[in-house]
Amino acid sequence: MAALSTIHPTLLDVAKRLDPDGKVAQIVELLNQTNEIIEDMVFMEGNLPTGHRTTIRTGLPTPTWRKLYGGVQPTKSRTVQVTDSCGMLEAYAEVDKALADLNGNTAAFRLSEDMAHIEGMNQEFASTLIYGNEGSEPEAFTGLAARFNDQSALNGENIITSAATPDSNDNTSIWLVGWGANTVHGIYPKGSIGGIQMEDKGQVTIENVDNAGGRMEAYRTHYRWDCGLTVRDWRYVVRIQFDLEDVIAAGTSGPVLADLMAKALRRIPSLGMCRPVFYANRDTLDALDVQATNKATMAFSTIEDAQGKPVTRFRGVPIRRCDAILTNETGI
């Protein structure tokens, strides 16, 4: 599975190709340190200035058993076009010039201050990736939860619920995503730069800094990230929703998360066609650890990845932490 990184570009791969001065690549590396999903998510340039239009096959042609001298009626597949939009995530970082110049390394100090803004964009992206909904927030993009929230829909078979209480708000989810160019991937607008664009505005005068007409000399940096999500093949996303309190309170008698994760893996048509990864929040990972301790036969393992970091895997598939996943989801 590690070899797939050479054919499924992550955001860092894209940034290194498109940014000759290395600034964007450096920022993406900083994002990777605090948001593990960035390390896995495949990013590709959209085919529209505002997003990406995908043709999805919704039905296969029906073949015919032909007898001698019998005819065969021509058939065709059924398709539908889906347009996914990109959102514009922006931030300004401003630091007092006198303070930045104090330590003798202005650039390093500014970057340390800018990290807070980068982390804010990071968390907002992760939250939108899971719960974004253009219906209620048109300026953002639509995430996974809005696409997988109805078991009666076509993709309902990829929604697994166990002890999730409908109409209550004490549930959480584990997501299995098979990243790939033909399955699920992030997008950035056609003709733009993948990843966060950084522009150093240099020294500026901030007016009315104290709400009393005062001015201040400052260094300003502008960050912009045009990004979105495309689910080309819904079969490569599986949502497992459950009542976390039942798992914690009941211990081994509650829902066995490993069993649900095994079911999720069987929903993916071909693990070899994608980069499969599980995502769960901290509380769910705690519950997984408890259940794994109580049941040694669970297929969990810890293996170092290419960067030398320990990664927990289930049946060979990495399990990543994503704290953007809430613990107060409404039951499906």
Side-chain angles (χ1 to χ4, degrees), residues 24-237:
V24 173
Q26 181 185 18
I27 294 170
V28 174
E29 287 174 338
L30 295 175
L31 288 175
N32 285 348
Q33 294 174 10
T34 56
N35 190 350
E36 294 181 325
I37 202 169
I38 295 293
E39 296 184 54
D40 312 309
M41 189 173 181
V42 173
F43 270 87
M44 301 185 66
E45 182 179 357
N47 53 23
L48 297 174
T50 57
H52 188 71
R53 180 169 296 148
T54 305
T55 299
I56 301 174
R57 195 175 309 280
T58 59
L60 296 174
T62 304
T64 301
W65 290 103
R66 189 184 74 87
K67 62 183 179 181
L68 292 176
Y69 302 104
V72 176
Q73 295 295 325
T75 59
K76 64 178 183 180
S77 64
R78 298 185 302 277
T79 60
V80 63
Q81 285 194 324
V82 176
T83 300
D84 290 297
S85 300
C86 288
M88 295 187 299
L89 191 61
E90 299 191 35
Y92 282 95
E94 297 174 342
V95 296
D96 189 311
K97 179 181 182 300
L99 180 61
D101 293 342
L102 274 178
N103 68 346
N105 191 337
T106 303
F109 180 85
R110 291 180 63 185
L111 179 60
S112 67
E113 291 297 302
D114 291 354
M115 278 295 295
H117 295 271
I118 296 175
E119 176 63 16
M121 297 181 74
N122 177 12
Q123 293 186 13
E124 180 62 28
F125 170 79
S127 177
T128 304
L129 180 62
I130 303 297
Y131 298 109
N133 190 337
E134 292 176 75
S136 56
E137 192 177 9
E139 59 272 19
F141 63 89
T142 298
L144 294 172
R147 304 171 193 248
F148 292 82
N149 64 353
D150 184 358
Q151 287 186 298
S152 64
L154 179 64
N155 62 0
E157 63 186 73
N158 276 27
I159 301 174
I160 301 173
T161 58
S162 177
T165 309
D167 301 325
S168 70
N169 58 353
D170 58 353
N171 307 288
T172 190
S173 295
I174 297 175
W175 290 90
L176 172 59
V177 182
W179 301 111
N182 295 312
T183 55
V184 186
H185 60 83
I187 54 175
Y188 55 94
K190 182 179 180 180
S192 69
I193 297 176
I196 296 180
Q197 303 171 51
M198 183 190 76
E199 183 179 0
D200 185 353
K201 296 290 187 177
Q203 183 178 336
V204 298
T205 301
I206 300 179
E207 305 286 345
N208 197 29
V209 66
D210 55 359
N211 295 320
R215 297 175 176 86
M216 180 186 75
E217 292 302 297
Y219 293 115
R220 176 181 292 164
T221 307
H222 177 228
Y223 289 103
R224 174 174 169 176
W225 189 2
D226 295 347
C227 49
L229 174 70
T230 288
V231 180
R232 296 196 65 181
D233 192 335
W234 58 262
R235 298 175 302 167
Y236 285 83
V237 177

